């Protein structure tokens, strides 16, 4: 009955409700009476628009319910009642075709209503055009009651994993599948199943659009009860994280934010969230599920992985739904970092039988022709979403009527998957202006929309907006999620979004951006109107989301200046919670927007923060580019000084020592020409570090001592302790081991008091080096093992690699060559992975030494040559000398005396240049043994005497014993047994005078004594 409007039908429904004594009717009940099914989204638009029209014409009155459901209820006004009676009277005598399984007839509407025991409104709901389709008991063949089609086995598997959570066998779960295969439906079913079993399901969703870090997890945690929610969300608040730690990106003159320190803080943040969730899991099992994880950012992925590892022994399960992956995605990398290998289930398209089950559920009966199921399956490729959309559209259009056995005859009658969504746009024009603007606004915001944003972005008064929101929720187009709403169907949302006219989009985006930028004020307005609205204010994470969203929408609106401010706010929040990868993206957006606005000052500010965030994630080349850009274009002297320091620190990290020296010296030169007073101690200490790396120990000592004085004047206790620790390295390099050890021990104590694990680990590592060079491998091993433990706890791959490298050296000294080479190779790979080329070259040098000690001379020679080339490239003279010395020892041990003399002599020259007297003496001793073996007895013995005299003034007993043993062996081989025994006796006396293990030297000296006794 095509001329009967939906407004008239609404009036008929309400009149019928009055007669049956139902009184006022809810939106949902009214939609049911109109015959609007849950999936008939196009009809929802028509119904709610007609309901609004009926209200505006005075036909219908709305009242707020006094019951707990809070639903709006509708009833006829006197005018509406008169209209309904007039429509009813006119309708009764009209004739329609009546179609039943037994045939077709024509009857008056009133007569048909009486025959089939239907109200007029119910009868109208069954009309398809002017045809009445009657459903009787004969048509309801084998009705379908299955609530969940096609994934029951996977749902059971997920339930079993949740029940087994906390055991060693349960790992995180990864659900993979193409869009539309049912991942979201499976997570919803898992949440329902968990609730039925007394467990707690926390579900969040990733967004393709820019959002604040940890957003999906924060959304999930918002479902916790009040006290537990507050504790779990607190660590993800920038206020909480920055109160606990100083600002890692503060605008001072010191070094840029240190990646190791920031990683440590992020690990601490993750540990706080884990502790909160562990207490929740003590009471009941918890499943944390994240949907659309193909769009997850790295910080959020790391948080998920960290929670999975930290709560492995709790009743806690992590589930992530994502597109198929080859294992190289962000989520896989995060789980790999914590050695958690997710159990993966891949959801494919439905087979023919399962498609048939889904079609049967959709049409409400199993009596569906095979040809129709075949056509739907082939057309949709077994994709559950496409099957649902296609069949629902056919039902809505009346092309499928199971009551009468009507089904399409050919594939041509089936819609393409987008058809149902396209049909939605045809109904938008029917909506009143307020409702249409609200729906279009929400479609541009995204999957979930804070209600306060809809209120703020609308030009209608708040009460009208809230009324329309309630209407859309009650009509099942939207569903409420706390203080947010979301489209029930994302297909509908995308269809509405795509239908928004291009000319209207900038204004929509500007309004949305303003609403997000004013998130705090909007939240307060909603709080005033809706008391007790959950999460309406006070959530710093929500403020961060608002900043990221504002930046996106200002950019889309063509307002670059406003986009810059919002993007920088989002970047600063991400930095505050140590999500630097997200901060990098926000900074990039800020830079682009600033350039679009032709605002060079804003570009410089954005580039500064961008450089600091690049440094924090280890992208040193990009960090250097940003810092140089800021320095060259800044008119602020203090900022110029900051950039000199940052550039030098990057160069130092990359092993570009000359460039680093230039930057730090430029800092001091520029500082003397301007009226600025950032701390100079850091620059002096950094210059000392450069000199130390290049073997200029006297210069390094001078810089460190000046830095100590400067930092003392400024009461910089931590900076002063770091500079003192560096002085300990100089003492070690010059062979003053006791003084070096004393300094490092004091540093360890100071840093433990400060609670800085990074500095504790650094000082312990230096103490281990002192012990190692004294031959005390036991003490060295203890120090390096604790350093490794600290670095792993912090999550510092640089420090972990160095600790592994050092432990490998100790293993080699103790004769465990296989373990030594394994550890050193792992260290080299880690250093290469994080871009530490200088550290990787050092690992190659140490691997070569382990090869030499194991007697694998060809491998040792090859690695020493590689290390020599790489160390020369970075200007590390001290280790260059060690590579030369190693090549000399390989040549000696393989019988090439000439090459040995050449290489060892070069090494001695290097250490004479660097001032490392103890190391120079060690290689002079080796050179003396070679000369002695060649028959140059006087030269060899003279070199030996000189080397032993120098070593006796140090505490490097390992090197002293080694020189004595080598010379005793050569003297014995050349027939001077008395001299050999004398040297052997000196070596034994040295061994007896120390408790240090001295690696394998004790065994080697004992073996030499046995040979001399034969």
């Amino acid at each position: 009955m095509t001329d009967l409007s939906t407004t008239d039908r609404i009036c008929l429904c309400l009149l019928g409700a009055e007669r049956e004594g139902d009184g006022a009717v809810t939106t949902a009940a009214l939609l049911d009476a109109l015959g609007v099914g849950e999936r008939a989204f196009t009809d929802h638009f028509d119904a709610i628009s007609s309901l609004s029209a009926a209200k505006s014409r005075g036909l219908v009155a709305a009242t707020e319910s006094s019951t707990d459901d809070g639903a709006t209820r509708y009833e006829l006004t006197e005018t509406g009642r008169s209209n309904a009676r007039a429509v009813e009277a006119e309708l009764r005598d009209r004739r329609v075709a009546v179609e039943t399984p037994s045939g077709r007839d024509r009857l008056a509407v009133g007569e048909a209503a009486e025959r089939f025991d239907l109200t007029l409104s119910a009868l109208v709901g069954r009309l398809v055009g002017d045809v009445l389709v009657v459903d009787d008991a004969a048509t309801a063949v084998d009705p379908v009651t299955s609530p969940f089609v096609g994934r029951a086995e996977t749902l059971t598997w997920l339930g079993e994993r949740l029940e087994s959570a906390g055991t060693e066998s349960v790992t995180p779960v990864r659900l993979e599948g193409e869009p539309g295969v049912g991942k979201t439906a499976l997570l919803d079913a898992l949440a329902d199943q968990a609730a039925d079993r007394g467990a707690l399901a926390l579900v969040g969703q990733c967004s393709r659009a820019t959002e604040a870090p940890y957003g999906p997890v924060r959304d999930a945690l918002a479902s916790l009860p009040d006290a537990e929610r507050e504790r779990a969300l607190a660590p993800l608040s920038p206020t909480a994280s920055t109160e606990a730690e100083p600002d890692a990106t503060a605008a001072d003159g010191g070094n840029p934010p240190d990646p190791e320190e920031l990683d440590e803080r992020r690990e601490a943040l993750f540990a706080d969230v884990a502790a909160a969730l562990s207490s929740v899991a003590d009471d009941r099992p918890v499943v944390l599920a994240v949907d659309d994880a193909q769009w997850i950012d790295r910080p959020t992925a790391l948080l998920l992985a960290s929670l999975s590892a930290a709560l492995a022994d709790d009743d806690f399960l992590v589930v992530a739904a994502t597109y198929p992956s080859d294992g190289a995605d962000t989520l896989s990398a995060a789980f790999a970092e914590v050695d958690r290998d997710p159990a993966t289930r891949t959801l494919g398209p439905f087979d023919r039988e399962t498609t048939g089950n889904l079609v049967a559920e959709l049409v409400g009966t199993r009596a569906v022709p095979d040809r129709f199921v075949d056509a739907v399956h082939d057309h949709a490729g077994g994709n559950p979403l496409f099957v649902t959309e296609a069949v629902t559209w056919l039902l809505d259009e009346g092309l499928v009527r199971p009551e009468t056995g009507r089904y399409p005859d050919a594939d041509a009658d089936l819609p393409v998957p987008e058809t149902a969504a396209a049909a939605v746009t045809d109904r938008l024009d029917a909506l009143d202006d307020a409702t249409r603007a609200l729906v279009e606004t929400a479609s541009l915001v995204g999957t979930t929309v804070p209600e306060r944003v809809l209120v703020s972005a609308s030009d209608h008064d708040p009460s009208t907006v809230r009324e329309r929101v309630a209407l859309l929720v009650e009509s099942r187009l939207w569903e409420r999620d706390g203080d947010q709403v979301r489209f029930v169907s994302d297909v509908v949302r995308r269809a509405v979004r795509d239908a928004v006219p291009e000319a209207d989009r900038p204004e929509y985006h500007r309004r949305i951006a303003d609403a997000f930028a004013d998130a705090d004020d909007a939240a307060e307005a909603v709080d005033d109107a809706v008391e007790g609205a959950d999460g309406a204010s006070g959530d710093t994470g929500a403020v961060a989301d608002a900043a990221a969203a504002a930046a996106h929408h200002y950019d889309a609106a063509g307002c670059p200046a406003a986009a810059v401010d919002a993007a920088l706010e989002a970047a600063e929040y991400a930095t505050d919670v140590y999500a630097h990868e997200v901060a990098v993206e926000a900074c990039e957006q800020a830079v682009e927007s600033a350039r679009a606005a032709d605002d060079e000052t804003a570009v410089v500010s954005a580039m500064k923060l961008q450089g600091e965030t690049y440094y924090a994630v280890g992208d040193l080349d990009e960090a250097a580019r940003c810092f140089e850009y800021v320095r060259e274009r800044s008119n602020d002297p203090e900022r110029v000084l900051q950039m000199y320091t940052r550039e030098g620190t990057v160069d130092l990290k990359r092993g570009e020592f000359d460039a680093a020296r230039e930057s730090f010296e430029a800092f001091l030169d520029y500082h003397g020409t301007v009226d600025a007073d950032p701390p100079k101690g850091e620059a002096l200490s950094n210059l000392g570090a450069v000199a130390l790396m290049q073997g200029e120990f006297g210069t390094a000592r001078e810089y460190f001592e000046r830095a100590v004085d400067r930092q003392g004047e400024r009461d910089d206790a931590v900076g002063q302790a770091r500079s003192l620790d560096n002085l300990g390295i100089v003492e070690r390099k010059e062979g003053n081991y006791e003084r070096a050890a004393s300094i490092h021990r004091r540093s360890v104590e100071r840093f433990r008091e400060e609670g800085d694990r990074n500095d504790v680990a650094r000082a312990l590592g230096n103490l281990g080096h002192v012990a190692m060079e004294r031959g005390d491998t036991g003490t060295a091993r203890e120090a390096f093992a604790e350093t490794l433990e600290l670095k792993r706890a912090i999550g510092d791959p640089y420090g972990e690699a160095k600790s592994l490298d050092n432990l490998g050296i100790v293993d080699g000294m103790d004769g465990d060559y296989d373990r030594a080479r394994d550890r050193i190779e792992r260290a080299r790979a880690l250093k290469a992975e994080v871009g530490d080329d200088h550290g990787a070259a050092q690992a190659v040098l140490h691997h070569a030494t382990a090869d030499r000690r194991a007697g694998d001379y060809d491998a040792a020679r090859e690695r020493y040559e590689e290390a020599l080339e790489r160390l020369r490239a970075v200007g590390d003279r001290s280790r260059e000398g060690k590579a030369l010395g190693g090549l000399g020892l390989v040549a000696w041990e393989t019988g090439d005396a000439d090459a040995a003399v050449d290489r060892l002599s070069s090494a001695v020259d290097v250490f004479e240049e660097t001032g490392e007297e103890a190391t120079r003496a060690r290689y002079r001793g080796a050179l003396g043994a070679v000369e002695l073996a060649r028959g140059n007895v006087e030269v060899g013995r003279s070199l030996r005497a000189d080397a032993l005299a120098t070593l006796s003034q140090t505490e490097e007993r390992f090197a002293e014993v080694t020189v004595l043993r080598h010379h005793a062996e050569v003297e014995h081989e050349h027939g001077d047994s008395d001299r050999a025994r004398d040297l052997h006796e000196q070596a034994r006396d040295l061994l007896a005078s120390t408790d240090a293990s001295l690696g394998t030297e004790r065994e080697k000296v004992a073996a030499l004594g046995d040979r001399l006794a034969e």
Side-chain angles (χ1 to χ4, degrees):
M1 194 161 295
T2 55
D3 61 343
L4 188 66
S5 71
T6 304
T7 300
D8 288 340
R9 292 178 60 198
I10 289 171
C11 289
L12 284 175
C13 289
L14 292 175
L15 183 62
E18 280 186 3
R19 288 172 175 167
E20 293 174 8
D22 292 339
V25 177
T26 65
T27 308
L30 189 56
L31 291 175
D32 287 339
L34 290 170
V36 178
E38 290 189 8
R39 295 189 179 87
F41 296 116
T42 55
D43 291 342
H44 281 73
F45 281 116
D46 186 27
I48 62 175
S49 177
S50 298
L51 187 57
S52 296
K55 283 181 57 185
S56 64
R57 288 170 54 189
L59 302 175
V60 172
T63 57
E64 296 292 334
S65 173
S66 60
T67 61
D68 292 339
D69 61 12
T72 303
R73 282 174 159 72
Y74 299 90
E75 58 186 351
L76 289 171
T77 63
E78 191 57 44
T79 301
R81 196 170 293 109
S82 297
N83 178 77
R85 288 170 179 157
V87 170
E88 184 181 53
E90 190 274 336
L91 187 61
R92 281 187 176 278
D93 295 331
R94 297 182 66 170
R95 300 184 69 79
V96 294
V98 179
E99 193 173 277
T100 68
S102 58
R104 189 179 178 100
D105 197 1
R106 289 192 66 82
L107 297 172
V109 168
E111 182 183 355
E114 292 175 4
R115 178 180 298 185
F116 298 108
D117 194 24
L118 296 170
T119 65
L120 282 182
S121 59
L123 185 148
V124 171
R126 291 173 178 267
L127 288 172
V128 180
D130 286 327
V131 178
L132 172 63
V133 180
V134 179
D135 180 15
D136 58 24
T139 64
V141 179
D142 189 16
V144 176
T145 58
S146 172
F148 196 62
V149 175
R151 306 299 182 197
E153 181 184 350
T154 302
L155 180 59
T156 299
W157 176 76
L158 286 170
E160 290 171 349
R161 297 191 73 81
L162 178 57
E163 288 183 356
S164 302
T167 68
E168 293 183 2
S169 61
V170 175
T171 58
V173 172
R174 183 185 180 110
L175 297 176
E176 291 191 348
E178 298 294 343
V181 299
K183 301 184 297 295
T184 300
L186 195 55
L187 291 184
D188 289 342
L190 174 62
D192 292 340
Q193 184 184 85
D196 291 342
R197 297 180 180 181
L200 179 63
L202 308 173
V203 183
Q205 185 174 31
C206 299
S207 170
R208 193 192 323 236
T210 302
E211 63 180 359
Y214 317 123
V217 176
R218 286 191 291 101
D219 288 346
L221 298 182
S223 300
L224 288 167
D226 290 346
E228 295 171 331
R229 179 176 66 242
E230 182 177 348
R231 182 184 174 195
L233 286 174
L236 301 178
S237 157
T239 302
S241 59
T242 52
E243 282 176 356
E245 298 286 354
D247 184 3
T249 59
D252 58 33
N255 294 329
D258 185 85
E260 294 95 345
E261 183 178 1
L262 292 172
D263 283 341
E264 176 184 0
R265 293 178 179 182
R266 180 151 62 185
E267 286 297 320
L269 181 152
F270 291 173
D272 288 342
V273 178
L277 287 175
S278 180
S279 66
V280 176
D282 285 342
D283 298 329
R284 58 210 182 281
V286 176
V287 56
L288 174 60
V290 173
D291 200 5
D292 285 328
Q294 66 275 2
W295 295 317
I296 199 167
D297 58 69
R298 185 169 182 270
T300 305
L302 289 173
L303 174 56
L304 271 187
S306 178
L307 292 175
S308 172
L311 303 177
D313 296 329
D314 292 73
D315 289 337
F316 182 83
L317 179 67
V318 169
V319 180
T322 179
Y323 291 171
S325 166
D326 58 2
D329 58 289
T330 301
L331 189 61
S332 296
F335 280 123
E337 286 193 28
V338 296
D339 294 324
R340 298 286 283 170
D341 186 16
T344 301
R345 276 290 176 101
T346 300
L347 306 182
F350 284 171
D351 58 20
R352 161 61 177 76
E353 180 181 357
T354 310
T355 298
N357 292 336
L358 178 57
V359 172
E361 184 200 353
L362 293 168
V363 300
T365 177
R366 295 191 183 280
V368 180
D370 288 343
R371 59 178 173 76
F372 178 66
V373 174
D374 290 339
V376 170
H377 179 70
D378 293 342
H379 177 75
N383 185 291
L385 175 64
F386 294 166
V387 170
T388 301
E389 294 294 340
V391 174
T392 301
W393 184 82
L394 291 169
L395 287 166
D396 289 346
E397 295 299 315
L399 298 175
V400 167
R401 283 292 176 183
E403 304 90 352
T404 61
R406 178 186 296 176
Y407 293 92
D409 294 327
D411 292 357
D413 292 326
L414 295 176
V416 297
E418 292 81 9
T419 302
V424 172
T425 63
D426 294 337
R427 307 297 179 96
L428 286 173
D429 290 337
L431 295 175
D432 64 273
D433 291 343
T435 307
R436 175 167 184 162
L438 195 64
V439 172
E440 289 182 335
T441 298
S443 75
L444 291 170
V445 172
T447 305
T448 59
V449 188
E451 186 172 345
R452 63 176 179 266
V453 169
L454 292 174
V455 171
S456 182
S458 175
D459 56 3
H460 296 277
D461 64 88
S463 62
T464 299
V465 175
R466 285 193 290 274
E467 178 188 329
R468 294 299 195 279
V469 169
L471 180 63
L472 289 162
V473 170
E474 291 166 17
S475 69
R476 307 188 194 104
L477 274 167
W478 286 355
E479 60 185 6
R480 191 176 293 281
D481 182 8
D483 64 345
Q484 301 184 112
V485 294
R486 69 173 77 234
F487 283 88
V488 171
S489 168
D490 198 53
V491 172
V492 176
R493 183 192 70 81
R494 293 197 303 268
V496 175
R497 179 199 63 195
D498 294 344
V500 177
E502 288 295 330
D504 296 343
R505 287 174 180 260
E507 178 61 17
Y508 269 128
H509 283 297
R510 185 193 62 76
R511 285 176 174 271
I512 294 167
D514 286 345
F516 276 116
D518 297 335
D520 288 334
D521 293 338
E524 290 173 8
V526 172
D527 276 344
D528 291 342
V530 187
E531 290 187 10
D534 289 341
S537 64
D539 179 358
T540 54
V543 173
D545 282 330
H552 167 74
H553 289 287
Y554 276 132
D555 187 59
C559 304
V564 173
D565 294 339
L568 285 177
E569 183 180 351
E572 288 165 358
Y573 166 79
T575 300
D576 285 343
V577 293
Y578 320 124
H580 296 85
E581 298 84 352
V582 174
V584 165
E585 295 177 7
C587 286
E588 288 173 350
Q589 182 179 351
V591 170
E592 291 176 6
S593 297
R595 284 178 171 152
D598 196 23
D599 185 346
E600 184 60 25
T601 300
V603 172
V604 169
S605 295
M607 288 284 280
K608 175 181 178 291
L609 184 55
Q610 186 177 30
E612 290 167 346
T613 51
Y614 271 130
Y615 180 90
V617 298
D619 193 340
L620 300 180
D621 291 340
E622 284 299 305
R625 177 184 64 81
C626 293
F627 294 150
E628 182 180 11
Y629 184 98
V630 173
R631 175 176 55 77
E632 290 178 346
R633 290 162 178 79
S634 179
N635 296 319
D636 179 357
E638 291 194 4
R639 178 169 286 182
V640 172
L641 289 167
Q642 292 167 12
M643 293 307 102
Y644 274 128
T645 299
R646 282 151 170 70
E647 288 179 81
T649 304
V650 169
D651 290 330
L652 194 62
K653 196 81 170 181
R654 293 190 296 192
E656 298 175 3
F657 303 131
D658 290 339
R661 186 194 300 273
E662 289 178 8
S663 293
F664 296 136
E665 288 177 344
F667 172 100
L668 294 175
D669 292 341
Y670 185 79
H671 187 274
T673 66
V674 296
D675 182 19
D677 190 33
K680 292 173 61 177
E682 292 284 356
L684 292 167
S685 188
N686 284 330
L687 278 167
V690 173
L692 192 63
M693 290 290 190
Q694 295 186 301
E696 301 170 3
F697 302 123
T699 302
R701 179 188 294 277
E702 178 185 346
Y703 279 127
F704 289 140
E705 288 175 346
R706 289 172 59 192
V708 167
D709 291 341
R710 178 67 175 176
Q711 288 156 335
E713 293 169 5
R714 298 180 63 87
D715 294 325
D716 180 4
V718 173
Q720 190 177 46
R722 289 170 181 163
S723 296
L724 283 168
D725 198 51
N726 286 330
L727 274 172
I729 299 174
V730 175
E731 295 289 359
R732 171 170 61 85
K733 291 289 186 179
E734 293 181 343
N736 303 319
Y737 295 115
E738 191 54 49
R739 275 187 285 176
S742 176
I743 289 173
H744 294 317
R745 280 193 292 268
R746 291 202 307 272
S747 297
V748 170
E749 292 172 4
R750 171 69 67 83
F751 294 136
R752 286 196 199 279
E753 291 172 2
E754 295 292 335
D756 192 318
R757 292 186 294 174
N758 259 309
D759 281 329
V760 170
R762 181 176 182 271
L764 275 171
N766 288 331
L767 192 59
H769 277 290
V770 173
M772 185 167 62
E773 293 188 15
R774 297 168 79 174
D776 188 355
T777 55
T779 300
R781 186 182 300 280
E782 289 177 8
F784 293 141
E786 185 176 353
T787 300
L788 178 63
E789 182 180 345
L790 282 169
K791 290 298 186 180
R792 281 178 170 165
I794 291 168
D796 172 14
Y798 293 94
E800 180 181 350
K802 290 177 183 177
S803 302
L804 280 171
D805 199 4
N806 290 329
L807 282 168
I809 298 171
V810 174
D811 288 332
M813 293 175 67
D814 283 343
D816 192 344
Y817 305 122
D818 289 340
R819 188 177 186 186
R821 288 184 283 195
D822 175 66
R823 275 180 162 162
I824 293 169
E825 179 55 28
R826 283 159 56 200
R828 185 207 60 76
L830 265 176
K831 291 176 178 181
E833 184 179 327
V834 298
D836 184 4
D837 293 336
H838 183 217
Q842 295 175 47
V844 173
L845 174 65
H846 301 153
H847 200 149
T849 299
D851 287 334
R852 177 179 61 78
R853 286 174 171 158
D856 191 350
Y857 297 121
D858 289 340
R861 184 183 297 106
E862 183 178 339
R863 286 196 171 93
Y864 276 132
E865 291 286 5
E866 179 188 349
L868 180 62
E869 180 179 353
R870 296 174 68 170
L871 292 165
R872 278 176 172 167
V874 299
D876 188 342
R877 289 287 283 161
S878 178
R879 291 184 178 85
E880 177 188 340
K882 291 180 179 178
L884 286 167
L887 284 167
L889 294 174
V890 169
W892 175 30
E893 290 165 9
T894 56
D896 189 348
D898 292 339
V901 169
D902 178 63
R903 293 296 198 177
L904 289 168
S905 296
S906 296
V908 168
D909 291 342
V910 168
F911 293 118
E912 185 172 6
E913 173 191 328
T914 64
E916 294 174 79
E917 288 300 320
T919 309
R920 173 176 176 270
R922 188 190 314 161
Y923 287 110
R924 280 177 66 80
L927 181 59
V930 176
E931 292 288 8
L932 195 61
R934 296 174 75 190
N936 299 326
V937 176
E938 294 305 320
V939 173
R941 290 173 178 168
S942 174
L943 287 167
R944 177 176 73 211
D946 179 64
L948 291 173
T950 300
L951 291 171
S952 67
Q953 300 303 310
T954 72
E955 299 167 49
E956 195 163 339
R957 297 293 173 259
F958 182 83
E960 193 172 357
V961 170
T962 301
V963 170
L964 287 166
R965 178 178 59 79
H966 280 160
H967 279 261
E969 289 172 342
V970 176
E971 293 283 9
H972 177 61
E973 289 169 5
H974 286 73
D976 195 337
S977 297
D978 290 340
R979 199 179 296 271
R981 290 190 186 93
D982 180 58
L983 293 169
H984 176 259
E985 188 67 25
Q986 293 180 53
R988 286 201 334 175
D989 290 344
L990 277 173
L991 289 171
S993 68
T994 179
D995 293 331
S997 59
L998 299 186
T1000 58
E1001 281 302 312
R1002 291 187 185 276
E1003 292 79 5
K1004 290 178 180 179
V1005 169
L1008 174 59
D1010 292 340
R1011 294 202 304 274
L1012 292 173
E1014 293 175 355

